[in-house]
Amino acid sequence: LPFSAAANLRPGAEQKVVFITARVHPGETPSSFVCQGIIDFLVSHHPIAKVLRDHLVFKIAPMLNPDGVYLGNYRCSLMGFDLNRHWANPSPWAHPTLHGVKELIIDMYNNPKINLEFYIDIHAHSTMMNGFMYGNIFEDEERFQRQAVFPKLLCQNAEDFSYSSTSFNRDAVKAGTGRRFLGGLLNDTSSCYTLEVSFYSYLLGGAAAAVPYTEEACILL
């Protein structure tokens, strides 16, 4: 990008950051396709993409589990860990990708010139249809209601996204996930989500027949 068009990247500029991660579970290949679609759009000549680049900084880690992907694992890393349960205390030796990403996020959080607006972790779901999200529950009712806005907007603008399948929880078993851990770490100006896309298909409103997802459809999501 021309330097003149990227004022938000100049040294000392205040930055609003969207941090996106994907493929923490190696077998969830649709998450890579969705992430590829996001990257393709953001670097395109689309006028909305230009507005986004001019006003936001996108940090994207497209594959958090490269060793697991290389080995053909379904859920775990080379060391046999489900990385999406170790965000609270990742080891630089056993969970190096999580450790590096977490350190970067904490550094940004502690930088007064940076506001981490969104954290979105992209996954794929083996039993549910459509795209949908998991969000966090907060005691502050205003914060809880505010984080529901983004999935509602997605539902209005993406034909395969389902707000009815979107849920907000704080199950103990999910405490070590990126969405849960960062939701508790970051302040109330940040929104943290897990974005899920079905392995299988999606249902359009009022339609009885499911529409199968393809690689292209996931990229266009």
Side-chain angles (χ1 to χ4, degrees):
L1 294 176
F3 191 74
S4 60
N8 56 348
L9 298 181
R10 291 173 182 162
E14 292 189 6
Q15 297 180 348
K16 294 183 177 181
V17 174
V18 176
F19 206 112
I20 298 171
T21 57
R23 205 71 182 270
V24 70
H25 292 142
E28 297 177 6
T29 51
S31 67
S32 282
F33 301 144
V34 173
C35 191
Q36 181 66 51
I38 292 171
I39 294 170
D40 289 348
F41 177 75
L42 289 174
V43 300
S44 73
H45 295 292
H46 195 287
I48 294 178
K50 183 183 184 305
V51 171
L52 289 172
R53 292 194 302 263
D54 287 346
H55 291 85
L56 298 167
V57 174
F58 289 85
K59 303 283 188 180
I60 302 176
M63 189 174 287
L64 285 178
N65 199 337
D67 48 328
V69 170
Y70 177 79
L71 292 169
N73 294 346
Y74 179 68
R75 195 168 181 89
C76 65
S77 66
L78 169 67
M79 302 296 293
F81 293 107
D82 180 345
L83 296 182
N84 204 36
R85 295 297 182 272
H86 290 275
W87 278 91
N89 189 30
S91 161
W93 178 77
H95 325 108
T97 53
L98 251 61
H99 183 268
V101 168
K102 180 182 173 181
E103 289 291 300
L104 176 58
I105 290 175
I106 290 176
D107 285 347
M108 290 192 299
Y109 179 63
N110 291 328
N111 187 333
K113 289 284 190 177
I114 295 177
N115 187 26
L116 184 57
E117 301 277 331
F118 286 92
Y119 170 75
I120 302 172
D121 189 28
I122 308 173
H123 288 249
H125 207 284
S126 60
T127 60
M128 295 181 67
M129 292 194 290
N130 292 76
F132 58 95
M133 280 183 151
Y134 293 121
N136 295 312
I137 292 177
F138 301 101
E139 300 300 330
D140 181 350
E141 182 65 21
E142 182 183 352
R143 185 180 184 187
F144 175 64
Q145 294 296 333
R146 190 167 61 248
Q147 73 154 350
V149 172
F150 181 52
K152 286 180 179 178
L153 289 173
L154 275 178
C155 187
Q156 293 174 8
N157 289 279
E159 65 178 13
D160 59 322
F161 188 87
S162 170
Y163 186 76
S164 62
S165 295
T166 293
S167 65
F168 303 90
N169 61 67
R170 52 182 171 194
D171 299 344
V173 71
K174 302 283 190 179
T177 65
R179 181 257 308 179
R180 280 289 312 281
F181 174 75
L182 293 173
L185 171 71
L186 305 175
N187 61 34
D188 60 3
T189 64
S190 303
S191 297
C192 300
Y193 304 96
T194 299
L195 172 61
E196 299 270 2
V197 60
S198 173
F199 273 97
Y200 170 52
S201 64
Y202 59 96
L203 286 170
L204 296 175
V211 180
Y213 272 118
T214 62
E215 178 178 338
E216 181 182 9
C218 286
I219 290 173
L220 292 174
L221 178 67

